[in-house]
Amino acid sequence: MRVSPCSGPVIATDDRSDPIVGSGRDFGAIFIYRRFARGATQPEILQGEGDVSIKLFPPKDDSQRKAAHAEMREAFGRSFEKFARKRLAR
């Protein structure tokens, strides 16, 4: 199988939201990144997570639903950015 040298699939295997006493919740996702180096026959597998704070999710009522879901989408992106900074920097 031939893979492009710039190919690097990312898989999010798990996400979770845990309460933090007095300061909202902690959100994190586990990511697996398969890096294919030029000329390598097997990919390098990098796994890790990125924990970020959230305040609105889960929503307390319907009036907060839209804002809470927007916060969760943004938190997922920040979680991946944190993972990328820690694990993908060369």
Side-chain angles (χ1 to χ4, degrees), residues 55-70:
K55 302 277 186 206
L56 301 175
F57 195 88
K60 291 179 180 52
D61 56 48
D62 281 344
S63 70
Q64 293 181 339
R65 188 171 308 280
K66 193 172 187 176
H69 284 259

Side-chain angles (χ1 to χ4, degrees), residues 28-72:
I30 296 173
F31 298 98
I32 299 173
Y33 178 76
R34 297 173 63 206
R35 182 178 4 214
F36 293 88
R38 187 177 304 275
T41 58
Q42 294 294 317
E44 176 184 9
I45 308 294
L46 302 168
Q47 182 172 324
E49 62 184 335
D51 291 333
V52 297
S53 294
I54 56 177
K55 302 277 186 206
L56 301 175
F57 195 88
K60 291 179 180 52
D61 56 48
D62 281 344
S63 70
Q64 293 181 339
R65 188 171 308 280
K66 193 172 187 176
H69 284 259
E71 177 190 51
M72 184 56 72

